[in-house]
Amino acid sequence: MPDPDKAADLAEFIGLLGELRVWAGMPSYRTLARQAGPFMKPPRVVSPFTVVDAFKTGRRRLDLDLVVAIVRALGVDEDGVARWREACVKVHGLAKTGGPVGVFGQLPAELATFTGRDDELTRLIETATRRHGSGNARTVVISAIEGMAGVGKTQLAVRVAHELVRAGHFTDVQLHVNLRGFDPDVPAADPAAVLEAFLRQLGVPAQQIPVSREERAAMYRDRLRERGALILLDNAADEHQVRDLIPAGPTCLVLITSRRSLAGLDGVTPHLIGTFTDAESLDLLKRIAGRDRVTAEPDAATRIVEYCDRLPLALALTAARLRSRPAWSLAEHADRMQAGRLEAIRAGGRAIRPVFELSYRDLAGPLRRVFRLLGHHPGPDFTPAILAALADIPAHEAEVALEQLQDENLIRQNTPGRYELHDLLRAYAAELADADPEPDPTAPVARLATWAVATGYAAALAIGAPSLSGLPPEQAARPRRFAGYDEGLTWFENERQNLATIQNSAARAGLHRRVWQLASVQKEFCIVRNQFDDLLAAQQLAVVAARAAGDQAVEALMLSGLGSAYWRMDRLDEAEDSCLRALEIYRTVVDPSGEGSALIDYGTVQCQRGNHEHSVALFTQALGLLHGEDTHRARATALLNRGVLQQRLGRLTQAFADTHQALAIYRQLGYRRGEVLAIGNLAWFHLVGTDLDSAFDLYREQQHLALLLSDPFLQADALFGTGETHATAGHFDRARHAWQQALNLFEKIGHPRASVAQQRLDSTENEWPIPWTPTDWAAPQPTGRGEP
């Protein structure tokens, strides 16, 4: 009898379950379903298909009750059943936590109408399995599927991938990406961005992903070392784009599709794919349009194959149109094609556009408009909400339209709820949009930008951003509501690239107000997630837009935001210049509150330059200018920052007073992140003052609130301070434990304070510095313009 305790992951457990069935004499699935039913809780009829699914190695989870019932039905005694139950629970736990093996299945769905390609399938599978199964293999297996547009490269690659996984190969990891190598309007996918996405799929936290492409590639290769991984790189532009996306180990397979030859890629095996044979073309027509219908008109079917030049995409779209027109005869449709509308199909590589035109004409009027409008969307993918904004239709109509377009293979869905256009289809939709514009050509982009601002504003409030002047926009297009912090943060993470491209499109369309509003709504997210490159790009566009609109007050606000981005990136000269320009404008238009807020940023720059007394004076000056209901959060920031500097300058009483005032304001506003920072600062001040009991209490409170915010940095900060307090109290084992926990979190988010925690752990007890000695790396830092 197989031992379930040997299962290291879910795939191995399912394999052992199959061995148990062999041990029991290979009862049929129907018999096994009949015998397992009475063992279910409550007893019920079990479908044979349900039992079959339990033995498929590609599954992500199993029904525990069903597994136990199957094991009992296979004749295992109760002690053995208990072992199988425990093993099942264990492998599910490993999968849930990204355990030692984990399965990451990211392959697109197979088409039910996939036709032919028997020789190509055999050749590709033999190449993969021959080298993958060889004990002498030393390098990764790379197969490049090459051919013209519309020839079916992607669907062939997807079928090969699924066949291999079903056969038990490369079951640990499957990753997929569309590299957009030939998109006329959207740049090809950046390998660094693809590596980021792959690493996140492999369980690496966003904060831990390195910045440089080379470091990401190294981490990616490390994560796939000795794992059976299948990487599908679709629509590659050239060798350079895919080189860093190829793992190093012989246990991996890379399938690449491209219109270009990738022969210059080391170790690649090229597979040139041509058009269909006559038999394959007719078979595809039969599968989609109806076997009886095609068989009844063989001559007309042959004519259609000829007019489509045996190009799989052209054939599929033509057959789909026939399917939607059951009253048409094949001969009538062949006559239509003969009239010259598909002449370009017979021209070879440029043949695909007329096929798109046929598919487009076959859509209902409202759906044609939806498809045209997708040509206005600048981002890499879209959702029903994005389409609803573009087309100014209800969300449920957008969902129906997307499903219909997906049924016609005009869009595809690789991620639940998110859709994308193939690069050529995107170009075709853009042509249609340009040829039939709305009365106002900027209207679709304006609707999309308005939706992005309104929804982004709601998400920003959910993650703790302050109320922003001029937001939300007037007549916002159906903004989404957010239940809380995590939901708002997730929305920003999902729409990050779309927001950047929408802001750029709004800038090109001269929608100045939307440009600066989009910068404002993204600011809190960029700060929370340390996306300072994104913040800088957004604020630079915003400054230009505000200046073009001639709105000095907004220009000053955007300059302050630009300065904030610069000082966070340690570009202090540029930060100081932006802050001073903002201050000059605020003083010109006589806006004391704006001037006070700009002084906070300027004070932070001076602090980073080491001018602590000057910084204190600037924060004090800011406080004298900040009055009114809408300045409370800025006042709290100024007080929090001044408190930090008071402690550094040895004025502990003033530091406590400022920080307590800031904490009271944050609590009144309900701004939890500011509250956590203030509590952490107070804990540090108590530690400096050797009031260890108070320090312990406050660090515990800080850690609790940081956990509620799911903020690993604030959690690590609290743990590090707890370690310092334990060390001061002489509790050295407890100090090491706290520092180790802090180190783990700092390393998880890639924060430089990880090295400080490591130094603490590496040092001896006699080397630990007295904690109340001022240390720049350990003391709280000024937070800037109200967004800690």
Side-chain angles (χ1 to χ4, degrees), residues 145-151 153 258-260 271-274:
I145 302 174
E146 303 167 1
M148 63 176 286
V151 81
K153 302 180 294 294
S258 180
R259 297 180 212 171
R260 263 188 207 132
H271 299 267
L272 183 61
I273 307 302

Side-chain angles (χ1 to χ4, degrees), residues 141-192:
V141 181
I142 309 172
S143 290
I145 302 174
E146 303 167 1
M148 63 176 286
V151 81
K153 302 180 294 294
T154 296
Q155 292 305 324
L156 175 60
V158 170
R159 172 54 67 95
V160 170
H162 280 284
E163 291 281 0
L164 288 167
V165 173
R166 278 193 289 267
H169 302 288
F170 312 105
T171 55
D172 291 346
V173 178
Q174 300 101 46
L175 298 173
H176 163 261
V177 65
N178 175 13
L179 294 171
R180 306 193 306 273
F182 298 89
D183 193 310
D185 297 320
V186 178
D190 182 356

Side-chain angles (χ1 to χ4, degrees), residues 626-685:
L626 293 168
H627 303 287
E629 291 294 325
D630 58 347
T631 65
H632 289 324
R633 178 159 163 176
R635 285 187 60 82
T637 302
L639 288 164
L640 189 72
N641 290 350
R642 192 174 70 175
V644 170
L645 293 173
Q646 299 282 26
Q647 182 270 316
R648 291 187 185 180
L649 293 167
R651 300 192 283 262
L652 197 57
T653 300
Q654 294 94 322
F656 273 116
D658 282 347
T659 308
H660 276 296
Q661 287 186 60
L663 177 60
I665 295 173
Y666 285 138
R667 284 175 170 165
Q668 180 184 358
L669 295 174
Y671 182 49
R672 302 300 294 277
R673 185 175 172 80
E675 179 183 356
V676 176
L677 281 163
I679 289 171
N681 288 8
L682 289 172
W684 174 260
F685 300 161

Side-chain angles (χ1 to χ4, degrees), residues 384-404:
I386 287 175
L387 176 58
L390 266 175
D392 194 22
I393 58 177
H396 71 273
E397 289 184 18
E399 290 181 12
V400 171
L402 290 173
E403 286 298 317
Q404 290 173 332

